[in-house]
Amino acid sequence: MTRLARPRRRVSLAGLLTAALLATPLIALTTPAAAQPADAPAPALIPKPASQQALAGEDYSLKPWSVVGVSSNSKERRAALRIAEQLSSQLRRSTGYPLPVVLLAPGVADIKLSTNGPASLGAEGYQLRVDRKGVGVTAATPEGLYRGVTTLRQLLPAKADAKTRQAGPWRLAGTAVADSPRFGYRGAMLDVSRHFFSVAEVKRYIDLISLYKINKLHLHLADDQGWRIQVDSWPRLTTYGGSLEVGGTPGGSYSKADFAEIIRYAADHYLTVIPEIDTPGHTNAALASYAELNCNGVAPPLYTGTNVGFSSLCVAKDITYEFLDDVFREVAEQAPGDVLHLGGDEAHSTQHSDYLTFVPKAAALVTKQKKRVMGWQEIAETPLPAGSIAQYWGTDDARSQELARKAAAQGAKVVLSPANRAYLDMKYDASTPYGLDWAGLVNVEKSYSWNPSTLIPNLPESAIAGVEAPIWTETLDDLDKLEYMAFPRLAGVAELGWSQASALDWTAYKDRLGAQGSRWDVLSVNFFRAPEINWR
Ligand code: IFG
């Protein structure tokens, strides 16, 4: 709800300003210069912005009478106001200040948000300035404004993220930031099949990944252990195929209303949801639900173990493609983003020749829904439709690197998810209480210390769409475990996707990372306090 500044406030504000101006000389006479507050150090930002400079002597503190002003042309006004309201509602909670949001009446607002910036800022770029007069965030789009406000939140003391009222001061170091992302695809994948996570739990993950300018949420919605998204034309997929999870505990699934809520919440955080229906392997939940989908007409039992590669859709049967046509249609209707992920990994029980037949047929059913095809790297063995994306999940092995190059060679884009660096279910070290280690132990430094553009030899940088950090949940059955494995490493992958290559320096990053600790404490994030980081 947008409250316009009431004239009464303008008079009282002017009154306050006059009083402050009159008082200043008095204070100046009586307060020795040395008492001027020292400039707060420019706080550590993750992802590191393209450019940031401290403005000495330009610190600014939020005031009880601070006002958030929005200026935007009409087509983006609603989105811009929504962003302003999100910021204000959080800061009202932690500061106790009213922080009204107004459609900018010049001079009233000391926190100015604008989407009238130059088109040169691009889709996600922004400029941010803190000086004695206040704060300004300027972008060319609501998404860019959201990214800039995300930075603004990191410039405030961590307690600004608190759910309850905290004591001030609410000081911002004087700074000028000009920023835009290196890669357009900066993803986090959440496997809700091995263990089911509720809408509320997915929202919590969205809250956390969006703090680091992640812009894609890849949901792994179907696998051997559980089918998690409603398909009205094949109801047993969820009623039966979604009933369990790894370990045999009750599973769950998202009704269309549930999924719509996830989509809405993700959009509010400027995240595009990419739904994945893994095929032709990783399909036991579907095969158990409908006997006719199996080549032998016999439905296998539900599976609650953690093996992979034992299931396959029946490539030879027509019903397989009728099934996928219905599934992709209903999933595409539920996810407005431009990408649908058809999986394609570990099809160890699909004849290779059948795999080469299957993927193009499945891909055609995705493009029929006007979606871009995305799939794990193995799909690069087949001719891919224009606009396809292959997701690399190699461990520096020659075969995976070759698949990535093959994808690029046919004009597909590549998203980098190296399992030995970006898989957040990998143990940090031998003492990590959960997670897997098939791709090796991945400590915080290893997860950060790679450069997307040079990871795979002879992969043209123009083919790299960006990076994604998957978290597989065979061993992760609740949010605490998820947060422990995802943080701090997700922040590092987010930086690799956003920041310039020149910014990628472990020693400097490690120090900035340590400063996130207080923020994660305020947000009650159950992060792994890696001993090598100076958490503060
Ligand atoms: N590989 C499997 C996942 C999951 C993972 C756990 C891919 C693409 C191992 N496929 O990663 O289903 O089991 O780390």
Side-chain angles (χ1 to χ4, degrees):
M1 185 269 275
T2 310
R3 274 178 293 162
L4 294 174
R6 293 186 298 278
R8 187 166 50 80
R9 172 175 299 287
R10 198 191 304 277
V11 168
S12 64
L13 179 67
L16 277 167
L17 283 176
T18 309
L21 288 173
L22 287 175
T24 304
L26 196 63
I27 292 172
L29 285 176
T30 56
T31 313
Q36 290 303 320
D39 285 329
L45 294 174
I46 295 179
K48 185 176 170 62
S51 83
Q52 173 186 12
Q53 63 179 85
L55 302 179
E58 295 285 350
D59 287 10
Y60 185 74
S61 294
L62 298 189
K63 312 284 190 305
W65 56 82
S66 280
V67 173
V68 179
V70 173
S71 56
S72 72
N73 53 44
S74 53
K75 70 178 169 61
E76 290 146 357
R77 179 161 300 160
R78 261 174 49 81
L81 281 170
R82 177 90 188 97
I83 292 165
E85 193 46 55
Q86 283 173 306
L87 173 66
S88 289
S89 62
Q90 171 50 43
L91 296 183
R92 283 181 201 124
R93 228 187 331 252
S94 52
T95 65
Y97 299 165
L99 291 170
V101 173
V102 298
L103 278 176
L104 194 58
V108 168
D110 54 330
I111 301 167
K112 295 179 170 40
L113 308 182
S114 167
T115 57
N116 293 336
S120 56
L121 286 171
E124 296 188 81
Y126 65 89
Q127 291 160 340
L128 178 152
R129 182 182 176 86
V130 176
D131 59 29
R132 265 180 298 205
K133 295 190 299 300
V135 180
V137 183
T138 301
T141 69
E143 185 177 10
L145 182 62
Y146 185 83
R147 304 295 177 228
V149 168
T150 301
T151 298
L152 173 56
R153 285 182 60 184
Q154 277 196 14
L155 289 171
L156 281 160
K159 58 188 179 183
D161 278 331
K163 290 221 174 341
T164 56
R165 183 166 174 170
Q166 310 294 312
W170 301 100
R171 188 195 291 170
L172 288 149
T175 189
V177 175
D179 202 7
S180 64
R182 179 183 183 192
F183 294 109
Y185 189 113
R186 304 178 312 279
M189 187 210 83
L190 177 57
D191 167 14
V192 296
S193 175
R194 277 46 183 272
H195 278 99
F196 179 64
F197 286 84
S198 68
V199 172
E201 291 171 323
V202 174
K203 286 180 173 179
R204 166 67 172 184
Y205 204 60
I206 287 172
D207 286 341
L208 298 180
I209 64 177
S210 59
L211 293 175
Y212 299 97
K213 302 192 175 74
I214 293 286
N215 68 347
K216 310 288 181 190
L217 173 63
H218 169 182
L219 289 176
H220 186 76
L221 292 162
D223 206 301
D224 291 319
Q225 296 87 346
W227 188 285
R228 305 299 182 207
I229 185 167
Q230 179 62 24
V231 178
D232 294 335
S233 48
W234 297 75
R236 274 176 61 83
L237 290 173
T238 45
T239 56
Y240 183 69
S243 58
L244 297 180
E245 61 182 14
V246 166
T249 41
S253 59
Y254 306 117
S255 67
K256 293 201 169 180
D258 291 337
F259 202 77
E261 178 59 12
I262 290 172
I263 293 291
R264 184 199 62 76
Y265 199 81
D268 239 6
H269 291 72
Y270 286 83
L271 281 160
T272 301
V273 171
I274 296 175
E276 179 189 351
I277 303 295
D278 206 342
T279 64
H282 289 275
T283 45
N284 189 77
L287 296 165
S289 303
Y290 289 96
E292 61 269 41
L293 288 177
N294 297 266
C295 281
N296 64 1
V298 176
L302 289 175
Y303 180 69
T304 59
T306 58
N307 293 334
V308 297
F310 60 87
S311 56
S312 175
L313 291 174
C314 186
V315 174
K317 278 188 166 182
D318 290 344
I319 191 170
T320 297
Y321 307 97
E322 292 159 26
F323 166 72
L324 289 178
D325 193 23
D326 291 338
V327 166
F328 289 157
R329 181 184 66 256
E330 290 200 41
V331 170
E333 285 164 357
Q334 297 184 65
D338 63 338
V339 175
L340 198 156
H341 198 303
L342 53 65
D345 63 309
E346 297 180 316
H348 303 323
S349 299
T350 311
Q351 291 287 338
H352 189 57
S353 56
D354 283 346
Y355 183 84
L356 299 178
T357 303
F358 171 84
V359 173
K361 291 176 77 170
L365 295 173
V366 170
T367 51
K368 177 179 173 184
Q369 298 305 327
K370 309 275 185 288
K371 303 287 184 181
R372 293 172 65 187
V373 168
M374 185 164 175
W376 299 101
Q377 61 193 26
E378 293 91 324
I379 65 168
E381 298 256 48
T382 70
L384 297 170
S388 294
I389 303 170
Q391 185 165 7
Y392 169 85
W393 61 286
T395 55
D396 301 331
D397 60 294
R399 180 176 169 275
S400 298
Q401 292 180 347
E402 184 49 35
L403 285 167
R405 286 190 289 266
K406 254 183 132 166
Q410 58 171 306
K413 295 296 183 192
V414 176
V415 163
L416 299 169
S417 298
N420 58 345
R421 294 180 179 83
Y423 268 31
L424 304 176
D425 57 311
M426 290 304 118
K427 291 174 180 290
Y428 290 94
D429 56 45
S431 70
T432 304
Y434 15 77
L436 302 175
D437 59 10
W438 66 269
L441 299 176
V442 181
N443 66 14
V444 182
E445 180 171 7
K446 181 163 191 197
S447 188
Y448 178 82
S449 303
W450 56 285
N451 183 340
S453 57
T454 56
L455 178 75
I456 300 174
N458 305 321
L459 179 67
E461 177 144 10
S462 59
I464 301 171
V467 298
E468 180 176 294
I471 192 158
W472 300 100
T473 59
E474 282 94 337
T475 64
L476 309 174
D477 60 356
D478 64 31
L479 265 184
D480 273 355
K481 297 185 181 72
L482 210 63
E483 292 179 8
Y484 185 87
M485 299 302 279
F487 294 93
R489 291 176 296 188
L490 183 125
V493 178
E495 171 146 321
L496 296 179
W498 178 279
S499 304
Q500 297 307 312
S502 54
L504 306 181
D505 165 65
W506 167 248
T507 309
Y509 170 75
K510 176 179 174 181
D511 182 60
R512 286 185 281 122
L513 180 62
Q516 297 298 312
S518 51
R519 187 167 302 277
W520 292 340
D521 285 337
V522 167
L523 291 166
S524 307
V525 178
N526 181 47
F527 70 101
F528 169 55
R529 291 175 183 276
E532 68 272 24
I533 306 295
N534 165 28
W535 298 110
R536 57 195 187 279

